[in-house]
Amino acid sequence: MALRVEGGRVADVRIALGGAAHRPWRAAVAEAALIGQPDTAEAFTAAITAELAPARKGPHNAYKLPLIRNAVVAVLEELRDGTTARRRAEQGGEG
């Protein structure tokens, strides 16, 4: 994922989901929904919820939807706050 915020609003975002479907999934609906929106957990949640709305839920995959939603929101918050790079640096990786 990638997130660029300008003035507290999402200027650009890229969201790709692996392991969510039979092939990698670019979250184009969520990306489009976020452009120009405030960089808040509420906006992130609404966007990924819209992305996941048409997903077919079955007995063997229903658990994935809240897992994906929560993970996407958490990573977008980390990207917004800069904590992802800080955590990598603390773990000995590049920032």
Side-chain angles (χ1 to χ4, degrees):
M1 283 190 244
L3 177 68
R4 183 168 51 90
V5 175
E6 294 176 356
R9 299 213 170 257
V10 176
D12 193 25
V13 62
R14 299 287 180 257
I15 303 169
L17 307 171
H22 63 283
R23 62 183 173 89
W25 175 359
R26 182 74 181 264
V29 170
E31 291 174 355
L34 280 170
I35 300 299
Q37 295 300 310
D39 62 344
T40 63
E42 292 79 14
F44 300 156
T45 300
I48 195 62
T49 298
E51 179 72 40
L52 298 174
R56 287 179 283 177
K57 302 161 194 78
H60 301 293
N61 73 346
Y63 73 94
K64 288 185 179 184
L65 300 178
L67 184 106
I68 292 166
R69 184 182 57 247
N70 295 342
V72 167
V73 171
V75 171
L76 289 172
E77 288 182 306
E78 288 181 0
L79 289 169
R80 175 198 62 201
D81 299 340
T83 55
T84 303
R86 192 168 35 248
R87 184 177 308 130
R88 276 196 312 265
E90 289 170 355
Q91 294 173 348
E94 293 184 28

